[in-house]
Amino acid sequence: MRRTFGFLALVALAACQPKPVTMTDAQKAAIADSVRTMMTGMIDKMNQGDMTSGWAMYSADADTRYTENGMTYPNLDAMKKMSQDMSGAMEAMTIKPDAVDVMVVGPDAAVVTSPFHMTVKVKGKPAYDGVGVWTGVLERRGGKWMIVSTHESVQHADQMMVALTPPPAKPAK
C-alpha cells in the first residue's frame, strides 16, 4: 500500500511540473532582434549623453546584480551613484560595440554578450581608448525587457582608472 501511494504521489508530482517551452527558430530570432534593438538603442542614448534612458532599462529589484571589473554593486542606486560621481569630470564618452550577440534562453529571458571599444575623455586629460566586454542577463518583467544582471570588464582597468581620474585641483593663491 505504501509503495502504491508513493508511486501515485511521484506520478502526481511529475504531472505538476512545468512543461519546457518549445520555441521556433523564428520566435527566437524575433526575441533576439528585439533585445539587440533595445541594447543598441541604449548605447546610442549613452553616446549622446543620455544616461537616464539607459538606467531606465536596468531593474532596481532586490534580486538584481551588477558587476564591473571585479566589484559588485549592492544595488542599482550604488551603480548609478558611481556613474554620477564620475560624470562631472567627463567631457565625452563613445562606446562602439564590436557585436551584440543575443542568446535566447526562453520566451522571457536572454543573455547578451557584447565586446566593445570605447573612448573616454575626462576634462584636462587626454582621451583614453579601451577595450572590454559587457555581458547582461535580460528578463521580461512587468511586460518589458529589463536588465537584471551585468558583468562588464575592461582590459587594463587599472590604467583606465588612472586615465579617468580628474587631475588634482590647483591650489588657491
Side-chain angles (χ1 to χ4, degrees), residues 65-131:
R65 299 292 178 267
Y66 305 111
T67 302
E68 290 181 350
N69 296 313
M71 183 179 94
T72 299
Y73 295 97
N75 53 48
L76 179 59
D77 286 339
M79 190 165 78
K80 283 179 174 180
K81 181 176 181 338
M82 181 281 308
S83 179
Q84 289 167 345
D85 289 349
M86 290 186 69
S87 68
M90 196 83 58
E91 275 184 25
M93 175 181 74
T94 305
I95 300 168
K96 293 182 181 176
D98 298 329
V100 180
D101 296 321
V102 180
M103 178 177 63
V104 176
V105 181
D108 295 317
V111 177
V112 176
T113 303
S114 184
F116 63 87
H117 284 79
M118 68 176 186
T119 301
V120 182
K121 174 73 174 88
V122 172
K123 295 173 186 168
K125 291 191 129 184
Y128 176 80
D129 293 318
V131 176

